[in-house]
Amino acid sequence: MTEPTNGLHFQRELNINKIMSVQIVEYNQSQVLDILEQLTAIYTSAFSLPPYNENPQVLGQFSHSLKTHLNRKGFLCLVIQCIQTGRPVGFAYGYTARPGQWWYNSVTKQLTPEQVHIWFSDCFEVVDLALLPEVHGQGLGSRLHDELIQRLPHRTAALSTISAQTTALHLYQRRDWQILDKAIQFSGIKRSYMLLGKELR
């Protein structure tokens, strides 16, 4: 389990332009709850737009899902916040992928035993990486991704993303994520997803 921090243990100031400076800060479980409403607003802004077009039901599940993930082994949440205002403008989080979890069970049953052994024996699940649309195009997604990956002690990381040529997919491919399956299906969801994996060590 990631040890709780005071929220300032890990941060790096990033000057993205003359108007706005940001820092990436690790938030512990209680601090995540303190800004849950803001994280929900970021998630909604990011995934209600094309090409995701998530419906209100899916968007409404975010805060509940995040609260259920807080105490999972290896939980890690990084938040990008504006230094001048303290306002969060993006976040990324995940935890150790283990049998019995909905996502783990959903994706591993669609893989071969060899793939499961290689990719999921010591794996960090990247659950979400989201930015406010207004800060896109400034390299924040890449920096947030890199900071998250650098802190992981796991052997691999995995995530799922919609089967489309998105900005997020291009980011992952530039950083050596491999496509493990191009058509992962989740129960109750009509669209298909790509399953990506990354070797960390």
Side-chain angles (χ1 to χ4, degrees):
M1 177 69 71
T2 303
E3 291 295 327
T5 70
N6 61 6
L8 298 175
H9 174 69
F10 171 65
Q11 62 182 33
R12 180 175 299 173
E13 182 174 334
L14 306 170
N15 294 314
I16 58 173
N17 54 40
K18 294 181 180 179
I19 299 174
M20 182 181 180
S21 294
V22 301
Q23 61 186 1
I24 298 179
V25 183
E26 180 180 343
Y27 273 56
N28 65 27
Q29 291 90 335
S30 63
Q31 292 165 329
V32 168
L33 289 175
D34 288 340
I35 63 165
L36 183 58
E37 185 174 337
Q38 292 167 292
L39 298 184
T40 301
I42 293 171
Y43 180 87
T44 301
S45 296
F47 292 107
S48 62
L49 298 175
Y52 301 98
N53 298 312
E54 292 289 8
N55 62 57
Q57 181 180 0
V58 171
L59 297 172
Q61 293 172 351
F62 170 79
S63 61
H64 172 74
S65 296
L66 178 51
K67 285 188 285 187
T68 66
H69 297 161
L70 288 174
N71 293 313
R72 289 190 173 176
K73 179 179 175 63
F75 178 83
L76 176 62
C77 179
L78 299 184
V79 177
I80 299 184
Q81 58 189 44
C82 174
I83 291 176
Q84 292 94 325
T85 66
R87 176 196 180 199
V89 297
F91 69 93
Y93 89 92
Y95 48 78
T96 302
R98 307 179 80 180
Q101 298 166 353
W102 176 82
W103 186 85
Y104 177 100
N105 290 349
S106 296
V107 299
T108 56
K109 72 181 182 181
Q110 300 175 67
L111 302 176
T112 67
E114 182 181 10
Q115 286 177 307
V116 174
H117 175 72
I118 292 171
W119 290 103
F120 287 90
S121 58
D122 181 20
C123 178
F124 182 87
E125 177 194 343
V126 180
V127 179
D128 282 311
L129 191 159
L131 297 171
L132 287 174
E134 65 202 67
V135 301
H136 285 186
Q138 302 180 74
L140 293 186
S142 298
R143 294 178 181 183
L144 184 57
H145 167 276
D146 294 348
E147 296 287 6
L148 184 74
I149 293 300
Q150 288 170 13
R151 292 185 61 79
L152 299 180
H154 303 73
R155 187 173 60 80
T156 62
L159 60 85
S160 53
T161 186
I162 63 171
S163 296
Q165 293 299 313
T166 63
T167 300
L169 177 62
H170 296 158
L171 183 160
Y172 298 135
Q173 291 180 319
R174 289 196 304 270
R175 279 158 170 74
D176 300 322
W177 286 78
Q178 301 177 42
I179 297 177
L180 307 182
D181 194 310
K182 293 184 177 180
I184 288 287
Q185 298 293 326
F186 294 102
S187 178
I189 301 176
K190 293 182 179 180
R191 66 169 37 154
S192 63
Y193 287 74
M194 293 184 188
L195 177 65
L196 306 184
K198 180 175 174 63
E199 296 182 63
L200 304 181
R201 56 180 174 83

